[in-house]
Amino acid sequence: MFTTWSLATIVVAFGIMLSIPRVALAHAVLVSSQPAVNSTVSGTEVAVLLKYNSRVDMEHSTLTLLEPDGKVEKVAIESEPEPGVLSAKLTGLVKGAYVLRWQVLATDGHITRGKVPFQVE
Ligand SMILES: [Cu+2]
């Protein structure tokens, strides 16, 4: 009995999971980034360009940078060169591993977040 019940629960749960990606299509998803995910850049300054699949609200979006020494810094979003694209500038970079974390508010009112790990040589 218990096994049958569990299987039914799993099937229902899986059905719900399958329906989520269709809803998620309305959210802002990162299409491309500069620096690219897992790329290596050089120099102390890097221009950031994050491109999303939908319009985002620059005022309610945030960028933070996890630095090689573990410090987390807020990064100012400079401009929205075109709808769905955010630009920023990273300065004072040193050699090491960084993670740029983004959180954006899409025009559908949903917040999405993600990260862009990259290396500075
Ligand atoms: Cu959405």
Side-chain angles (χ1 to χ4, degrees):
M1 269 313 273
F2 178 73
T3 308
T4 311
W5 183 84
S6 298
L7 187 63
T9 308
I10 291 165
V11 170
V12 169
F14 191 58
I16 292 166
M17 279 165 62
L18 282 178
S19 68
I20 289 170
R22 259 168 271 151
V23 179
L25 283 176
H27 306 337
V29 174
L30 188 68
V31 176
S32 69
S33 71
Q34 180 194 308
V37 172
N38 295 326
S39 65
T40 300
V41 298
S42 53
T44 58
E45 285 192 13
V46 167
V48 173
L49 212 56
L50 301 174
K51 203 171 267 188
Y52 296 89
N53 67 334
S54 76
R55 284 170 178 269
V56 293
D57 182 345
M58 177 181 151
E59 301 295 319
H60 296 96
S61 300
T62 55
L63 294 179
T64 52
L65 186 67
L66 173 61
E67 299 175 349
D69 60 4
K71 243 195 289 170
V72 177
E73 298 272 354
K74 197 167 165 24
V75 178
I77 297 172
E78 285 184 341
S79 66
E80 219 171 337
E82 54 184 276
V85 180
L86 297 178
S87 81
K89 182 166 265 176
L90 305 179
T91 57
L93 299 177
V94 297
K95 210 173 150 178
Y98 286 81
V99 179
L100 179 66
R101 295 180 180 143
W102 56 264
Q103 177 178 307
V104 297
L105 175 70
T107 45
D108 70 351
H110 293 139
I111 289 171
T112 50
R113 50 182 74 86
K115 44 192 171 183
V116 177
F118 65 95
Q119 199 85 24
V120 175
E121 63 172 14

